[in-house]
Amino acid sequence: MVSGAGDDQEPLPRRTQRTRLDTGRAVPGARHVTADIDRLRAQVAQAGRALAASGLVLGVAGNVSARAGELVAVTPTGARLSRLIADEIVVVDLDGEPVDAPFAPTSELPFHLAIYRHFDAAAVVHTHPPMATAVACVADELPCFHYSLLTLGGNVRVARYATFGTADLAASVVEALEGRTAALLASHGAVTYADSLQAAIDATELLEWACTVYVHARACGTPRVLDEDERRAVAEALSAYGYGAAGSPEIG
């Protein structure tokens, strides 16, 4: 069962008017949920558990979604990702209308949907990892000080601060993600997208690692930033060797 902020809290109330779609059967007034969506729900739940196990999310902080066509499977609000199961995952359309909603969707649904509308994304991961969040609290961007950041598009922008769950935050996130597959959220956390859930998780892990290295480097001195020629050479090497996440924006 999905729980709230503490183990001693009452379970979240289920929607009183739930539209439940059985695989392979159309229900009047609702969209048809296919076996692919059911598999996607299982994958979203598994991704949430994996993020929790790796320490990238804590408690009820963070959310995950994945898209199949015009349907999006997303974690519910107040969910402890460490204990998610497929039946707790919410399915909505690209307008945010519930299709199969045992719970209310995450409050960050607006920026998940905005990312799907603006970019060629199949999965979105939002976390509050310690080092990435620390950098997001003090910096305007994470500079491209290490060549691996080119797989995310280069320097990682910090989206201007806006209240969680708002259209203003969604617009800020989309702006920060232009030409990138990762962004930091000012005084908030991090977000990545990719063409698969695993690739989005990998991008989140890379971003947290890079922020950790950057914080340590800043403690030692001023990190060097790759110049245009160095970035171009890395882009050529990545292309030649086939490194980098599939679906990442063009590097360089």
Side-chain angles (χ1 to χ4, degrees):
M1 177 66 67
V2 176
S3 68
D7 291 334
D8 57 344
Q9 291 187 341
E10 290 296 318
L12 291 173
R14 291 183 177 271
R15 288 186 179 274
T16 56
Q17 293 182 327
R18 180 184 182 189
T19 301
R20 174 69 187 184
L21 303 186
D22 296 326
T23 300
R25 182 171 63 87
V27 175
R31 295 180 187 270
H32 182 64
V33 174
T34 66
D36 286 341
I37 285 294
D38 284 339
R39 284 193 292 272
L40 204 63
R41 295 174 76 190
Q43 292 167 8
V44 168
Q46 171 58 34
R49 297 193 299 270
L51 287 165
S54 66
L56 291 168
V57 296
L58 178 67
V60 300
N63 33 79
V64 182
S65 70
R67 175 183 178 181
E70 295 191 5
L71 296 179
V72 174
V74 63
T75 51
T77 187
R80 283 186 174 273
L81 270 62
S82 61
R83 299 201 293 258
L84 275 179
I85 61 174
D87 281 350
E88 295 167 338
I89 302 302
V90 179
V91 179
V92 299
D93 64 19
L94 290 175
D95 294 322
E97 292 299 317
V99 173
D100 189 357
F103 299 97
T106 173
S107 60
E108 301 292 16
L109 181 63
F111 78 57
H112 283 257
L113 297 180
I115 290 171
Y116 290 123
R117 287 193 294 265
H118 286 84
F119 305 106
D120 186 21
V124 176
V125 169
H126 169 51
T127 56
H128 300 170
M131 286 300 185
T133 303
V135 173
C137 288
V138 300
D140 293 325
E141 71 170 17
L142 177 68
C144 190
F145 69 98
H146 191 278
Y147 68 85
S148 64
L149 286 171
L150 290 168
T151 65
L152 303 178
N155 59 304
V156 178
R157 304 185 188 100
V158 178
R160 58 183 172 75
Y161 181 79
T163 305
F164 72 90
T166 61
D168 191 21
L169 179 58
S172 177
V173 168
V174 167
E175 180 181 355
L177 283 172
E178 285 293 340
R180 306 290 188 270
T181 56
L184 297 171
L185 282 59
S187 302
H188 187 156
V191 62
T192 64
Y193 76 85
D195 61 359
S196 72
L197 272 167
Q198 187 56 58
I201 292 173
D202 290 346
T204 300
E205 292 175 341
L206 171 59
L207 180 58
E208 176 67 355
W209 173 84
C211 286
T212 302
V213 173
Y214 183 69
V215 169
H216 289 313
R218 284 292 301 268
C220 299
T222 301
R224 291 184 295 272
V225 177
L226 300 183
D227 64 29
E228 201 65 35
D229 289 339
E230 290 167 333
R231 296 186 194 200
R232 187 176 300 107
V234 171
E236 292 171 356
L238 289 172
S239 177
Y241 288 101
Y243 293 157
S248 296
E250 183 179 353
I251 298 171

